[in-house]
Amino acid sequence: MNRTVLTILVITFFIAVDYFFFKALKDSIRNFQASTQRWITLGYWAIPVIFILGFIYLFFLAPETTSPKVKRYFGVAVFMIYSSKMIGAIVYLLGNGLNILKNTGRKIIRPSSTESILTRSEFIAKSAMALGVTQFGILTYGILSGAYDYRVRRVSLPLKGLPKQFHGMTLAQLSDIHSGSFYNKKAVNGGIDMLLAEKPDVVFFTGDLVNDRATELQEYFDTFKRVQAPLGVFSTLGNHDYGDYASWASPRAKQQNLLNLMEGHRLMGWDLLMDENRSITLGGEKLGIIGIQNWGAGFTQKGDLKKALQGSEEFTNKLLLSHDPSHWRAQVLGQTDIDAAFAGHTHGMQFGIEIPGFRWSPAQYRYKEWAGMYEENGQMLYVNRGFGFLGYPGRVGILPEITIFTLQAV
């Protein structure tokens, strides 16, 4: 599908959502004075006109030097407003569709029941408006309160045959930093302070250090350089780290971007594992750390697990860093002797509900393993909810995570 056709479809969708949400608004203000209704109507339709003109300019006419942040903030505004309007429009359409069927039957039996029809229609319209406004309020709250509301999650990690030298070792996991999305450096530093206060023996970073470009790391380089641990910081790449979602002047420029990002890991003192393994040696015993490039169902599949496992036969236990949780079920579970895998990628969709005894997120309709610990036939996978955010600059219910594991010999 070419860009022009896609643009026409997107704009058509915007207009359709605006039209049906406006129908709900119109029904809700039908008792206002005519002059007030006109002003509300003009104000309402001014917003989609501005958005459409902004969309055409930013994605077709704007110079290449335009900051990616401008496009990102514009996209966030569109997402918040139109996702809220879409909910209202759907409620209005469903409600009135059912109403038409009900009222058709009532007119046959009691043709004079116009008063109840009007009341019901107005109720549906106001309900649609209320739900749209509520959605917008929730998303706004997620930006103001959830984006940097870091939570430390403590997890016991039992490993069969773990040598006593490693019993009680603490391991921290960060994932999905997406440094190009941040807008509050003080808050990010506060999150790193929380991590360092835990004094982990080892740190794992499981991919997506940036959204697209290595230059995103520059502003936060000193912040993440602080992430150090006595037994090392081990990292791997995520799907966003390859620059696949950005436009490049040439393939060479894209490749150089990846090399620059890899150098960033090195300069921070992080040991980036590119389909390879390392070991932590204590008292003559070795704990294996395996790291692969991104491998995900429906995403980049660069990782080579067989290559990464070469020479790992001597390790008593094996821990795998692999960004996308779908890799665990596809190539790890029941096919290797890896004890535990560490992933991220899903962010828990940055939206959901997590309360004792119940949790839900749209992420679960795409990923069987989307947040927290999973165990099957003695092998484990932990999916970190992510430290940063992507697209929507907030979190509702699924909060940013710093995970602290304590290794247990069993």
Side-chain angles (χ1 to χ4, degrees), residues 234-249:
F234 301 92
S235 61
T236 192
L237 297 177
N239 55 302
H240 279 268
D241 293 322
Y242 297 93
D244 289 343
Y245 313 118
S247 297
W248 301 96

Side-chain angles (χ1 to χ4, degrees), residues 37-50:
Q37 290 188 44
R38 283 196 296 271
W39 280 111
I40 291 175
T41 298
L42 287 171
Y44 177 88
W45 285 106
I47 293 175
V49 169
I50 292 170

Side-chain angles (χ1 to χ4, degrees), residues 295-321:
W295 194 106
F299 287 88
T300 302
Q301 297 184 355
K302 294 182 179 292
D304 187 337
L305 184 58
K306 289 183 179 180
K307 178 182 177 183
L309 285 169
Q310 290 176 4
S312 66
E313 297 79 13
E314 62 179 325
F315 302 152
T316 307
N317 298 93
K318 299 175 186 178
L319 308 180
L320 172 68
L321 283 68

Side-chain angles (χ1 to χ4, degrees), residues 65-202:
T65 54
T66 302
S67 171
K69 286 188 176 182
V70 174
K71 292 184 178 181
R72 186 161 58 248
Y73 293 151
F74 177 82
V76 169
V78 170
F79 165 74
M80 291 182 64
I81 290 176
Y82 278 92
S83 65
S84 303
K85 283 185 176 181
M86 186 168 64
I87 288 175
I90 290 171
V91 170
Y92 181 79
L93 281 171
L94 291 176
N96 279 282
L98 293 172
N99 232 14
I100 290 171
L101 294 175
K102 290 179 181 178
N103 292 333
T104 300
R106 289 187 178 187
K107 284 182 179 180
I108 294 172
I109 300 170
R110 290 188 304 164
S112 61
S113 59
T114 56
E115 185 177 349
S116 63
I117 295 170
L118 175 62
T119 302
R120 188 179 297 107
S121 178
E122 190 173 356
F123 172 76
I124 291 169
K126 289 183 176 179
S127 297
M129 292 291 297
L131 286 170
V133 171
T134 300
Q135 166 75 353
F136 187 81
I138 290 172
L139 292 176
T140 301
Y141 176 80
I143 294 174
L144 299 177
S145 177
Y148 301 100
D149 190 7
Y150 300 109
R151 299 299 173 93
V152 175
R153 293 181 179 268
R154 294 180 173 83
V155 180
S156 177
L157 189 65
L159 299 175
K160 291 182 179 179
L162 182 72
K164 63 180 181 180
Q165 291 91 333
F166 297 103
H167 180 78
M169 175 187 289
T170 55
L171 187 161
Q173 182 190 8
L174 289 179
S175 192
D176 299 87
I177 284 173
H178 291 283
S179 54
S181 295
F182 292 134
Y183 54 88
N184 187 335
K185 194 169 186 178
K186 182 178 179 181
V188 176
N189 271 295
I192 298 304
D193 287 341
M194 292 174 66
L195 167 66
L196 297 177
E198 297 293 324
K199 295 181 169 51
D201 297 306
V202 186

Side-chain angles (χ1 to χ4, degrees), residues 204-242:
F204 286 173
F205 173 68
T206 46
D208 279 358
L209 183 57
V210 297
N211 294 336
D212 299 295
R213 301 177 186 277
T215 52
E216 297 169 23
L217 181 59
Q218 291 176 356
E219 185 177 354
Y220 289 89
F221 179 85
D222 290 339
T223 297
F224 295 115
K225 186 179 180 181
R226 296 168 56 210
V227 177
Q228 301 295 330
L231 298 178
V233 179
F234 301 92
S235 61
T236 192
L237 297 177
N239 55 302
H240 279 268
D241 293 322
Y242 297 93

